[in-house]
Amino acid sequence: MRNGIFKKFASVLMAAGIMTGSALTAFADGDVTLDCSDAIESEGWTQSVKFGYNREDPNGAKNFDATRMTPDSVIKVTYDIVEDHFDETQATGYPVELIFQSWSYPDSPLAGSDGSLWAKVAPATVDAASNTEEFAYADIVAAYGSDNFEKVDAVLFGSTNDAKILVTGVTITNCKDEGDHWVDPSIAQAAEEAEKKEKANTKKNIIGIVVGIAAGVIVAVGVVWFIISSKSREAFDVTTGEFVDKKDAK
């Protein structure tokens, strides 16, 4: 009896554990892998690849909404060394730098009077053996001057003086499924008006189709009625083998 109770209790605990694990999985943050197929070779503080915010496709593989990041996020970048330019007098110790860019008057004391911000971030770790660098969330916040990324317009990866490089992969860990990026009110209003216009045109087209179908049905009914009416006024003449007007039928 006691063993049976323990077994039932254990089953309940296992079920609870499974449900808890499922809940944690459902709400867990995920990693985002970006498409680096447009990356180019860069050197001397130029950029290899850029991921801008795209209102129409914010979660696309060639775009990135920085508001999806969490304090646990780490940006990992892999790269190829095309040419080694290492010079001890100018070396930074890392071939790739991260840049958070805004031109939308971001919420940061580091923004310029023209509303722009070019925040350069050094990697927290560099693995030269695997050509991998990692950028920490805290370092990004420090360089950007704020943890409010709603006006980050682009995330870029560029070369330092250490080498000519080609970015081959970018992964941002522990990201939210959806961000809450700022959208210019004028753009949002224009998009809303365009959507309303499209809906109005769609409604007009549907009404036109319905009216056309109704008109077609009315015409068809009229034709059938005309045929039936015509036949009702005729009689079959057995002598001629033809339908004749009943008035002329004998």
Side-chain angles (χ1 to χ4, degrees):
M1 180 70 176
R2 183 179 297 176
N3 289 337
I5 293 174
F6 281 142
K7 287 181 179 179
K8 290 181 180 179
F9 185 66
S11 299
V12 171
L13 287 178
M14 288 179 64
I18 292 171
M19 292 176 66
T20 303
S22 299
L24 289 174
T25 301
F27 290 100
D29 297 319
D31 296 350
V32 174
T33 300
L34 301 179
D35 183 352
C36 296
S37 59
D38 292 337
I40 61 173
E41 296 179 359
S42 66
E43 60 183 331
W45 308 105
T46 58
Q47 287 68 58
S48 176
V49 67
K50 171 182 177 180
F51 301 98
Y53 172 72
N54 186 326
R55 180 179 178 274
E56 301 300 325
D57 188 20
N59 296 338
K62 291 189 177 183
N63 312 310
F64 185 64
D65 178 359
T67 63
R68 295 178 64 188
M69 294 178 64
T70 67
D72 295 324
S73 293
V74 174
I75 297 182
K76 301 179 181 180
V77 58
T78 58
Y79 52 89
D80 289 336
I81 298 292
V82 181
E83 291 180 14
D84 193 346
H85 294 168
F86 187 77
D87 181 346
E88 289 185 358
T89 62
Q90 299 181 354
T92 62
Y94 52 92
V96 179
E97 66 173 357
L98 167 67
I99 300 160
F100 267 40
Q101 182 184 16
S102 175
W103 51 81
S104 303
Y105 292 87
D107 179 20
S108 169
L110 303 180
S113 58
D114 60 350
S116 65
L117 178 56
W118 184 264
K120 296 158 69 79
V121 188
T125 62
V126 179
D127 185 347
S130 62
N131 287 353
T132 303
E133 294 180 7
E134 294 186 357
F135 298 86
Y137 182 86
D139 293 338
I140 298 171
V141 171
Y144 190 73
S146 172
D147 62 356
N148 182 355
F149 296 147
E150 66 176 8
K151 291 186 177 181
V152 173
D153 294 301
V155 175
L156 306 93
F157 296 87
S159 56
T160 64
N161 273 336
D162 292 21
K164 176 188 283 188
I165 59 96
L166 174 68
V167 171
T168 57
V170 173
T171 299
I172 302 97
T173 69
N174 300 303
C175 288
K176 296 179 289 186
D177 288 339
E178 300 292 337
D180 53 355
H181 199 281
W182 174 83
V183 177
D184 187 330
S186 61
I187 295 176
Q189 183 178 359
E192 184 178 354
E193 291 176 355
E195 185 177 355
K196 288 181 179 178
K197 186 176 181 180
E198 183 178 355
K199 287 182 178 179
N201 289 336
T202 301
K203 184 178 180 181
K204 187 184 296 183
N205 291 338
I206 292 174
I207 292 174
I209 292 172
V210 171
V211 170
I213 293 174
V217 170
I218 292 172
V219 171
V221 170
V223 170
V224 172
W225 178 256
F226 175 77
I227 294 172
I228 293 174
S229 298
S230 298
K231 293 299 181 182
S232 66
R233 293 195 302 268
E234 295 178 343
F236 185 73
D237 189 341
V238 294
T239 59
T240 62
E242 296 179 352
F243 283 96
V244 297
D245 194 297
K246 289 181 178 179
K247 295 179 180 179
D248 300 328
K250 298 180 180 180

